[in-house]
Amino acid sequence: MKKTTLFYLLRLPLAVSMFGHGAVRLPKLDGFSTWMVETMTESAIPTFLIIPFSYALPIVEFGIGLLMLLSIQVKYALVAGLMVMSLLILGSCSIENWGAVGAQLVHAVYFGLLLFAQDYSNIPKK
């Protein structure tokens, strides 16, 4: 199997996860934002930061997933994914949602391993 095909297949589950997270939230963006603001009421993060993040998150998730699925700017999508996961982990820690932190850490490790694999192989840096 070619390395590029293998790399695509390895990133496919993560791409589908990010694409799916964004795709299901986009049609109900206002409801998702309301849910996130309510969920974060106990957080030290101010609401004026949570509201724009809650509207941007589904768009960014959808975009990262789409870029990875279409093999466009994959390295930048992986870096963006790590940044998004870091922000989500910060938010989850701020409300002590340790279950979400675990899932987000798994995504972050997956993003990191794919980034490492792409940087240290002869896989095209599309």
Side-chain angles (χ1 to χ4, degrees), residues 4 17 23 26 28 33 36 57-58 61 65 72 76 79 81-82 100 112:
T4 53
S17 175
L26 282 173
K28 52 184 179 183
S33 177
M36 182 174 269
L57 180 62
E61 289 172 326
I72 300 170
Y76 295 112
V79 170
L82 278 167

Side-chain angles (χ1 to χ4, degrees), residues 1 3-21 61-62 64-71 74 78 107 110-111 114:
M1 181 177 296
K3 285 185 181 181
T4 53
T5 304
L6 178 60
F7 186 65
Y8 182 82
L9 292 173
L10 286 173
R11 75 174 185 261
L12 186 60
L14 188 59
V16 170
S17 175
M18 294 301 287
F19 181 85
H21 273 85
E61 289 172 326
F62 181 83
I64 290 169
L66 186 62
L67 289 173
M68 290 172 63
L69 286 169
L70 298 177
S71 300
V74 173
L78 294 171
H107 276 76
Y110 203 157
F111 274 114
L114 288 172

